[in-house]
Amino acid sequence: MQQIRSQVTERDGLFELEAGSDVLDSPRYNHDMAPTKVRERTWNKWHITALWVGMSICVPTYTLGGVLTASFGLTVGEALLAILFANIIVLIPLTLNAFPGTKYGIPFPVLLRSSFGILGSNVPCLIRALVACGWFGIQTMFGGLAIHLFLGSIFDGWKSLGGTGEVIGFMIFWALNLWVVIRGAESIKWLETLSAPLLVAVGIGLLVWAMPNVSMTELLAIPPKRPEGASVVSYFAAGLTAMVGFWATLSLNIPDFSRYAKSQKDQILGQIFGLPLTMFLFASLGVIMTAASVKLVGVTVSDPVSLIGHIQSPVWVAVAMALIIIATLSTNTAANIVSPTNDFQNIAPKVINRTKAVLLTGFVGLLLMGHELLKKLGLIVSDVSLETVYSNWLLGYSSLLGPIAGIMVVDYFLIKKQQLDLAGLYRDDVYPAWNWAGFLAFGVPVALTLLSLGSDAFSWFYSYGWFTGSALGGIIYYGLCVMRAQPSAIKSAV
């Protein structure tokens, strides 16, 4: 007979929910969003390390050094330091927001119910989901190009398809991504564990190929593209903020993965081992390869897919493209599909299961890339490039997510003191439907960030948007929660 009230048990600091009818019948619950059982938390520190290696080695990471030198006025050495420091900094919100996922086995949308409300959690969830769908589309474009070049290296006739071949490659890669995630967390764990050593091997191979054609001394001596005599501080800080924004999205939804970790120690060590060094080394490789590309293929090429496509040997192109496909697949499935899949389910868990949410993510990503796909098919002509979307809209949009990260950390560690009502997160009678403290704490820094765009005096607020947003969001949220608690405390004292 089904129990009526849910029971929560603890085992070695990990909490588990035995759902009763109060939760099972709730409109806020489905099997995919349920807390993981302790026996399902099978990811050790090496699985989490592999997850980060798989997510970090991708085309956008490869191009980061070039973005910082070309757009932020940094030298090559300064750019690489900014990438390293940024990923050490972003470890802080990543590790802290991973804690409740590991302790309670809950995904990101369910954790947000504590700080934004049971229904209110859908607003930051959908903001996060839209960013992820955009990144999904961009990564799928890179993966589709790799498939096109792979098939072109095997079948001579395929090359003549041109843009049509790239679109076919996009659709093949699009379907492959959705298939992996529909199969579940164990499928993702298997993919990341398999791909990590292969991706490291690719990096080493590219480095061996490039190093004889580049002088590191000359590379590091290239002068920065900023006014002569200008202080490096403001340029470095702006670049640092942009690089923190690169993983701003994952610093929110890291519970989607940490809910499978065996322990807090495993999630902490796995992230420390996997993220900063991988990002630094692969971004460094991108700088070296771009510098060497002139001697290697005769022109400057800033993305690895196009660079490898210039290799004359069809065999090596086929091997390299197969590995690039694996690299992009491992990044895309984990970083860009898991989160919106959970986010879309949070809207109506009884109606939207994981399969439906994965398909919805896929179609939104396809819609966002529709313009680029139509260009490749020759159906429209436009000057709007994929690079413009990547460098402007998505990176700028990601920086607005800082307040959510600050609010989540403050809510869990300072307000809730690491104690959540696990069953209550799936019902309507414990947490409010809308937590207006969360929305005010989110809205104020976002409004100030947007207003600062038109003000020279406050342009720093936008330039350092992730830092200012997360700090201000956390402070405002803490203040509002303390003020709200004071009247009840005075009343009980009387």
Side-chain angles (χ1 to χ4, degrees):
M1 189 174 76
Q2 187 185 91
Q3 63 185 33
I4 298 175
R5 298 294 296 181
S6 300
Q7 302 293 323
V8 177
T9 56
E10 180 191 356
R11 193 185 311 171
D12 298 325
L14 303 180
F15 286 75
E16 186 174 273
L17 178 68
E18 288 296 333
S21 58
D22 60 326
V23 165
L24 294 173
D25 297 337
S26 169
R28 315 301 165 206
Y29 176 91
N30 72 14
H31 175 74
D32 298 319
M33 299 283 285
T36 52
K37 300 291 186 183
V38 172
R39 67 175 180 274
E40 296 173 316
R41 302 178 201 180
T42 60
W43 295 29
N44 62 31
K45 59 182 177 291
W46 302 117
H47 292 123
I48 296 170
T49 299
L51 173 74
W52 277 110
V53 171
M55 288 196 294
S56 298
I57 298 181
C58 59
V59 175
T61 301
Y62 181 100
T63 62
L64 286 182
V67 170
L68 288 176
T69 53
S71 303
F72 288 85
L74 301 180
T75 65
V76 168
E78 291 163 356
L80 295 178
L81 278 178
I83 292 167
L84 180 61
F85 289 165
N87 285 282
I88 292 173
I89 290 169
V90 85
L91 271 177
I92 298 171
L94 275 167
T95 303
L96 292 177
N97 280 330
F99 262 80
T102 300
K103 182 176 180 178
Y104 292 102
I106 53 176
F108 164 65
V110 174
L111 177 59
L112 272 184
R113 294 172 182 178
S114 172
S115 51
F116 284 85
I118 298 294
L119 297 178
S121 62
N122 286 303
V123 175
C125 276
L126 291 177
I127 292 172
R128 169 67 182 97
L130 184 59
V131 177
C133 289
W135 282 116
F136 166 64
I138 285 177
Q139 291 278 13
T140 302
M141 197 68 73
F142 286 128
L145 175 60
I147 288 177
H148 169 65
L149 293 173
F150 173 77
L151 294 173
S153 67
I154 299 175
F155 309 108
D156 288 335
W158 189 272
K159 295 178 183 178
S160 63
L161 292 175
T164 302
E166 290 185 39
V167 173
I168 294 172
F170 177 96
M171 295 309 302
I172 293 171
F173 193 70
W174 178 87
L176 186 59
N177 277 268
L178 303 190
W179 177 76
V180 169
V181 180
I182 286 173
R183 286 176 58 86
E186 283 301 305
S187 177
I188 294 172
K189 184 178 81 170
W190 176 86
L191 174 64
E192 301 297 337
T193 305
L194 171 69
S195 66
L198 291 176
L199 300 182
V200 172
V202 171
I204 294 172
L206 288 172
L207 191 61
V208 170
W209 179 44
M211 282 306 290
N213 297 281
V214 65
S215 166
M216 289 302 297
T217 304
E218 293 178 5
L219 193 59
L220 293 172
I222 297 174
K225 297 178 181 178
R226 58 177 181 256
E228 189 173 348
S231 171
V232 69
V233 175
S234 61
Y235 289 89
F236 187 85
L240 186 71
T241 303
M243 291 305 98
V244 169
F246 190 82
W247 287 122
T249 49
L250 263 293
S251 71
L252 301 184
N253 75 286
I254 189 62
D256 290 335
F257 301 102
S258 66
R259 65 194 293 230
Y260 298 103
K262 284 186 173 182
S263 67
Q264 298 292 2
K265 181 179 179 181
D266 282 302
Q267 69 92 356
I268 293 169
L269 292 178
Q271 296 198 87
I272 291 173
F273 294 160
L275 177 60
L277 196 58
T278 305
M279 286 289 293
F280 175 76
L281 293 177
F282 203 67
S284 301
L285 175 66
V287 171
I288 293 169
M289 292 298 298
T290 301
S293 62
V294 177
K295 291 184 179 179
L296 289 169
V297 299
V299 293
T300 299
V301 183
S302 60
D303 86 79
V305 180
S306 299
L307 179 61
I308 294 169
H310 283 82
I311 299 175
Q312 297 302 311
S313 168
V315 174
W316 283 113
V317 170
V319 172
M321 285 304 150
L323 294 173
I324 288 288
I325 290 166
I326 293 172
T328 310
L329 181 65
S330 66
T331 300
N332 221 13
T333 51
N336 302 321
I337 306 181
V338 171
S339 177
T341 294
N342 289 333
D343 296 339
F344 288 137
Q345 285 187 81
N346 193 60
I347 299 171
K350 294 297 187 189
V351 178
I352 306 174
N353 61 16
R354 181 172 63 208
T355 299
K356 291 178 181 177
V358 171
L359 293 174
L360 181 57
T361 298
F363 284 115
V364 173
L366 182 63
L367 182 64
L368 291 174
M369 288 298 106
H371 177 272
E372 191 71 17
L373 294 172
L374 290 174
K375 275 176 58 180
K376 289 184 180 299
L377 291 171
L379 298 177
I380 62 172
V381 178
S382 171
D383 293 331
V384 178
S385 66
L386 185 63
E387 289 75 16
T388 301
V389 176
Y390 162 56
S391 60
N392 294 334
W393 178 69
L394 281 173
L395 286 178
Y397 196 48
S398 295
S399 70
L400 296 178
L401 301 178
I404 301 175
I407 291 166
M408 290 172 66
V409 170
V410 168
D411 179 73
Y412 182 69
F413 286 96
L414 299 182
I415 304 302
K416 303 301 192 311
K417 302 189 185 303
Q418 302 185 61
Q419 301 298 319
L420 298 175
D421 186 324
L422 187 54
L425 290 169
Y426 293 90
R427 303 199 309 258
D428 290 325
D429 58 348
V430 176
Y431 295 92
W434 299 84
N435 184 4
W436 295 109
F439 283 96
L440 285 171
F442 173 65
V444 170
V446 166
L448 290 175
T449 299
L450 295 175
L451 289 172
S452 68
L453 285 172
S455 170
D456 293 335
F458 290 98
S459 60
W460 59 270
F461 196 93
Y462 176 79
S463 298
Y464 312 139
W466 192 90
F467 295 102
T468 53
S470 57
L472 187 57
I475 290 169
I476 292 174
Y477 184 77
Y478 181 78
L480 290 171
C481 289
V482 169
M483 288 172 58
R484 186 171 57 187
Q486 282 179 345
S488 59
I490 294 172
K491 184 177 179 180
S492 63
V494 173

